[in-house]
């Protein structure tokens, strides 16, 4: 079932293929080996506050988002990034908004439909699998949500499969302990490196302890059993 706008046939085919994509059982992947923050809300902050500090503009400029790109907003929540990415990628672009909470997904789908965002599709993901179309995305955004991922290695393994060649994973999070709803950059870099994702760009964002990090595939996706987890002390 589709909600939130017109979906091109090719995009739908990729999305359906993702549902059928072969995946390994969750127990094939290493455990998190660290704290995991609980999901406490579908809103990171008010949209007015985020607009005032220029968060979105700073992030998409650093992410080098261009018209015509296909992008994903993982853990989209109330859709702060989703509704702003839609006009940025334009009519020839696509936005896939994903959340793992059915009620949140439904509210976002209602918003997308209400605002007439025809290039946006809203999907329900799973904690260990974001259900992305294989090889279909130029940018995958994870904004203030990575610290809530319960099975990071399984999640990243499936997520990497959604990137086009040369595509990037964009992480925005806070430089603080996971228990305080952030993730230390060194830990983030290590976990993504375990999936052969190399840090390309990193900088601090204005207005607090948030940071921007862009990762790109530096090699093939390893088999689940070959993933080397990060030290618990990192």
């Amino acid at each position: 079932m589709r909600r939130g706008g017109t979906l091109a046939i090719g995009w739908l085919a990729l999305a359906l293929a993702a549902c059928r994509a072969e995946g390994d059982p969750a127990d094939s992947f290493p455990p998190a080996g660290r704290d995991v923050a609980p999901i406490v809300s579908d809103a990171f902050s008010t949209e007015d506050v985020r607009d005032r500090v220029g968060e979105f503009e700073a992030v998409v400029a650093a992410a080098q988002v261009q018209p015509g790109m296909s992008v994903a907003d993982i853990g989209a929540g109330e859709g702060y990034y989703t509704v702003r990415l839609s006009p940025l990628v334009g009519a020839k672009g696509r936005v896939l908004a994903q959340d793992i909470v059915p009620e949140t997904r439904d509210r976002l789908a209602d918003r997308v439909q209400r605002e007439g965002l025809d290039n946006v599709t809203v999907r329900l993901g799973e904690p260990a699998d974001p259900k992305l179309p294989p090889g279909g995305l130029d940018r995958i955004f994870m904004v203030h949500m990575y610290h809530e991922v319960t099975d990071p290695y399984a999640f990243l393994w499936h997520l990497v499969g959604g990137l086009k060649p040369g595509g990037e994973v964009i992480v925005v999070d806070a430089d603080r302990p996971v228990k305080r709803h952030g993730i230390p950059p060194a830990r983030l870099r290590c976990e993504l490196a375990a999936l052969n994702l190399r840090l390309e760009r990193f900088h601090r964002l204005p207005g607090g302890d948030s940071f921007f990090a862009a990762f790109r595939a530096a090699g093939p996706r390893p088999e689940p059993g070959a993933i080397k987890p990060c030290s618990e002390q990192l």
Side-chain angles (χ1 to χ4, degrees), residues 175-190:
D175 184 2
R176 55 177 180 252
V178 175
K179 287 183 177 179
R180 295 179 51 216
H181 292 271
I183 188 160
R187 180 77 197 195
L188 175 70
R189 183 173 181 173
C190 180

Side-chain angles (χ1 to χ4, degrees), residues 140-222:
I140 300 174
F141 287 86
M142 295 189 288
V143 180
H144 296 294
M145 58 75 64
Y146 184 74
H147 52 268
E148 297 173 350
V149 175
T150 55
D151 297 289
Y153 300 108
F155 177 85
L156 290 171
W157 189 88
H158 289 102
L159 182 136
V160 169
L163 284 174
K164 289 182 180 179
E168 293 184 341
V169 176
I170 306 298
V171 180
V172 176
D173 219 310
D175 184 2
R176 55 177 180 252
V178 175
K179 287 183 177 179
R180 295 179 51 216
H181 292 271
I183 188 160
R187 180 77 197 195
L188 175 70
R189 183 173 181 173
C190 180
E191 290 185 3
L192 272 69
L195 276 297
N196 281 331
L197 288 165
R198 179 181 62 212
L199 182 65
E200 294 286 312
R201 301 183 301 285
F202 178 93
H203 65 259
R204 305 283 173 174
L205 293 172
D209 55 4
S210 295
F211 62 83
F212 166 97
F215 297 83
R216 185 173 294 191
R221 179 174 65 173

Side-chain angles (χ1 to χ4, degrees), residues 93-143:
R94 292 287 181 269
V95 180
L96 175 61
Q98 179 263 22
D99 208 279
I100 64 171
V101 180
E103 295 80 8
T104 299
R105 183 275 314 266
D106 290 346
R107 286 195 298 272
L108 178 55
D110 288 340
R111 180 180 185 181
V112 166
Q113 187 172 48
R114 187 170 62 250
E115 298 188 17
L117 305 178
D118 290 340
N119 62 349
V120 176
T121 301
V122 182
R123 291 178 57 83
L124 184 68
E126 296 178 358
D129 184 355
K131 299 293 184 181
L132 300 179
L137 296 161
D138 297 289
R139 299 288 184 271
I140 300 174
F141 287 86
M142 295 189 288
V143 180

Side-chain angles (χ1 to χ4, degrees), residues 21-59:
E22 293 184 2
D24 288 72
D27 58 7
S28 298
F29 295 92
R34 59 163 169 82
D35 294 323
V36 175
I39 300 174
V40 294
S41 171
D42 59 6
F44 166 71
S45 180
T46 68
E47 298 198 3
D48 286 345
V49 169
R50 297 172 86 173
D51 281 344
R52 283 199 295 271
V53 299
E55 174 191 320
F56 176 78
E57 290 79 5
V59 168

